[in-house]
Amino acid sequence: RLLQLLSIDSVDTKSIFQIPVPPNSQQILSDNLPRPFIGVHPFCGMAWRQWSKFDTLREHLSKLSGTVIVVGNRKDYNFKGLGPNLINKLSIAELFWVIKQCDVFVTADSGPMHISLAVGTPTVALFGPVRPSMRISKQETTPHTALYKPSDESEKTIHTTQRKTLSNDAMQAISLDEVIACVKKYLPGQ
């Protein structure tokens, strides 16, 4: 509806969202990195949206064929592991491009989750005390899986911008095996 109000008659809304290749694309992701690309964004601005198992997830995903690419901004994060470490190294335009290159992208409910959906990258999104239906449109056409464990608190949450602290228990109830299974669903042959 918004596009129609702007006189954009595109049926394929993804086609109006073009991502330019950065001039330094080879420094960001070299051509010799094996596919598939598994993007991981292990951070979230709200503590109650943070999943504590992202480092363990990266270790498990690095055993699959392909390349695990870690993105995000966190000054105090100590990166350990294999694969490209793009933490604190990307402009917003470069972040869009990297997420677009991924074959699957794993994140909590965050800005990069919305970027992933906007650029058409298959997405595994983890939700805690906010229901996925409050953050992902029912009309979303990008392949995605929202992992969510309902709780009394999450069912009572009616605004996604609440400024109070919510419990992180529902987020931590999401198992490592569930996330790995969802990632593999988007990676043929894994």
Side-chain angles (χ1 to χ4, degrees):
R1 290 181 299 183
L2 177 62
L3 293 176
Q4 290 170 343
L5 291 172
L6 296 171
S7 300
I8 299 172
D9 295 326
S10 175
V11 174
D12 177 16
T13 57
K14 305 291 184 203
S15 68
I16 66 166
F17 199 56
Q18 300 301 316
I19 307 299
V21 177
N24 61 337
S25 63
Q26 278 299 304
Q27 286 84 28
I28 298 171
L29 294 176
S30 68
D31 284 338
N32 64 350
L33 292 173
R35 300 291 303 216
F37 290 166
I38 305 167
V40 176
H41 176 255
F43 312 118
C44 203
M46 305 282 192
W48 44 269
R49 290 185 187 167
Q50 185 66 44
W51 189 57
S52 65
K53 303 171 187 103
F54 271 113
D55 286 337
T56 306
L57 174 68
R58 277 189 19 248
E59 290 173 22
H60 285 272
L61 294 177
S62 68
K63 295 173 187 169
L64 301 175
S65 61
T67 302
V68 178
I69 301 166
V70 184
V71 299
N73 284 320
R74 179 67 51 94
K75 290 183 173 112
D76 61 346
Y77 188 71
N78 184 14
F79 180 83
K80 298 177 214 157
L82 306 171
N85 171 12
L86 300 179
I87 298 169
N88 301 321
K89 296 179 182 175
L90 300 174
S91 69
I92 192 70
E94 292 167 342
L95 176 64
F96 271 74
W97 180 79
V98 168
I99 292 173
K100 177 73 175 161
Q101 302 315 301
C102 292
D103 296 288
V104 63
F105 190 71
V106 185
T107 181
D109 174 16
S110 62
M113 175 196 75
H114 294 287
I115 293 170
S116 185
L117 294 171
V119 300
T121 299
T123 305
V124 177
L126 286 59
F127 285 84
V130 175
R131 293 181 306 282
S133 62
M134 295 178 71
R135 305 282 291 157
I136 299 176
S137 168
K138 292 177 185 171
Q139 287 79 35
E140 180 57 60
T141 60
T142 297
H144 66 278
T145 302
L147 291 173
Y148 168 66
K149 302 292 183 184
S151 67
D152 288 341
E153 182 178 46
S154 65
E155 294 303 310
K156 291 177 186 172
T157 301
I158 57 171
H159 299 289
T160 60
T161 57
Q162 287 177 319
R163 297 293 180 224
K164 65 178 187 173
T165 301
L166 300 174
S167 170
N168 186 254
D169 294 343
M171 193 68 156
Q172 300 315 315
I174 298 170
S175 77
L176 183 66
D177 290 338
E178 288 175 291
V179 178
I180 293 170
C182 289
V183 169
K184 287 181 176 180
K185 177 173 84 171
Y186 296 111
L187 301 174
Q190 293 289 340

